[in-house]
Amino acid sequence: MNMNIISKYLRLLRKSNNYTQDDLAKELGISRQAVSKWETGTAIPDLEVLLKISKLYGITINDILEPKIQPHRITDFEQISTISEKELKEVLGQFDTNSLVTALMGASPETNSFCERLFPHIDFAMTRKNIGRIRIETVEDMQNQIISMVNLQAMAKK
């Protein structure tokens, strides 16, 4: 469960259903500040509110907590190099250094070089050494989270 993805997804759901934060808060019987906290990733709705949200949008609670983001921009991690540097820095900047380096452990040398140029302040070699050995499932999960975030951002801009 990635709070960044959930928060962006909740915001996308709200906007695509033409709700303001105030409108959604009134509909759910909560404060606007609570909606804001979800959308900034500082809190997550409790179970009762998740049920209300799922009914409102016609989706399951699981769809909210583990959204299946359709590929609007990329389908594979290697495709991140096709995204503008500015946009990619914005997306990757939402992940901590260890998460980014973990995703890159399964990437091509070209993709690694591309990301190292984008973030010259990160010591990628040292971070890889500190992480050590890691399961391929962990690498794939982190790559999928980045793919989802790229696609969510593309959906939000439409």
Side-chain angles (χ1 to χ4, degrees):
M1 187 165 70
N2 181 304
M3 288 293 290
N4 280 334
I5 292 172
I6 294 169
S7 65
K8 299 273 188 239
Y9 189 62
L10 285 169
R11 183 172 188 233
L12 177 69
L13 285 171
R14 176 181 59 78
K15 287 185 166 199
S16 63
N17 284 278
N18 298 314
Y19 284 107
T20 65
Q21 286 186 347
D22 282 328
D23 295 338
L24 182 60
K26 286 177 187 160
E27 185 74 30
L28 298 173
I30 58 169
S31 70
R32 186 205 53 79
Q33 289 82 358
V35 175
S36 177
K37 285 181 180 180
W38 307 336
E39 293 183 4
T40 58
T42 56
I44 192 164
D46 63 32
L47 189 55
E48 182 181 325
V49 177
L50 281 169
L51 185 57
K52 288 180 182 179
I53 294 169
S54 71
K55 286 179 180 178
L56 180 66
Y57 296 138
I59 59 178
T60 68
I61 291 174
N62 198 49
D63 290 335
I64 298 168
L65 297 178
E66 294 181 1
K68 303 289 185 260
I69 310 303
Q70 296 301 312
H72 285 267
R73 190 76 185 273
I74 62 173
T75 56
D76 182 80
F77 186 74
E78 289 295 318
Q79 294 172 326
I80 64 171
S81 61
T82 64
I83 299 168
S84 76
E85 289 187 10
K86 180 183 177 206
E87 189 176 348
L88 188 59
K89 281 179 105 170
E90 185 179 321
V91 170
L92 295 180
Q94 298 175 58
F95 292 87
D96 63 44
T97 300
N98 283 355
S99 297
L100 174 58
V101 172
T102 297
L104 288 169
M105 287 178 162
S108 68
E110 294 81 15
T111 300
N112 271 275
S113 295
F114 178 71
C115 288
E116 288 177 18
R117 280 193 315 273
L118 283 181
F119 299 97
H121 63 282
I122 296 176
D123 187 341
F124 285 84
M126 180 59 77
T127 305
R128 274 190 290 276
K129 182 179 176 192
N130 289 339
I131 292 172
R133 296 178 67 132
I134 195 160
R135 297 180 59 86
I136 189 65
E137 293 85 3
T138 305
V139 172
E140 289 171 345
D141 179 58
M142 192 50 56
Q143 288 181 347
N144 287 333
Q145 286 185 37
I146 291 171
I147 291 168
S148 291
M149 194 63 82
V150 167
N151 288 320
L152 258 175
Q153 185 166 320
M155 289 169 61
K157 288 185 177 183
K158 286 187 175 184

